[in-house]
Amino acid sequence: MTEQAAASPVNWCHYHVGSSETARPVQFAGRTCGPPVVLYACAPCREQRGLLPRWRFAALPPQALS
């Protein structure tokens, strides 16, 4: 596994709808019920759309929630 893949908790880009080793959380998407979903974008999609990674949206380990 590459260093980039290990750093990304989700290897999926919601913008080009495909796998990516550079996917990072960029924004929340609302739903009609339940909590919002975090959307991930790969490096090329972030650059093309002017998106910035939002590290505060990254999933927290269970011990951090206590």
Side-chain angles (χ1 to χ4, degrees):
M1 185 180 310
T2 67
E3 183 179 327
Q4 288 178 331
S8 179
V10 175
N11 291 324
W12 186 261
C13 176
H14 290 97
Y15 289 82
H16 78 262
V17 190
S19 63
S20 171
E21 292 185 357
T22 61
R24 300 291 182 263
V26 291
Q27 70 181 51
F28 281 118
R31 297 194 302 188
T32 56
C33 68
V37 176
V38 178
L39 296 180
Y40 287 76
C42 66
C45 287
R46 288 193 311 268
E47 183 177 335
Q48 181 182 32
R49 293 166 175 83
L51 301 169
L52 297 174
R54 309 291 178 140
W55 294 112
R56 64 182 176 195
F57 297 159
L60 296 174
Q63 63 272 19
L65 300 175
S66 304

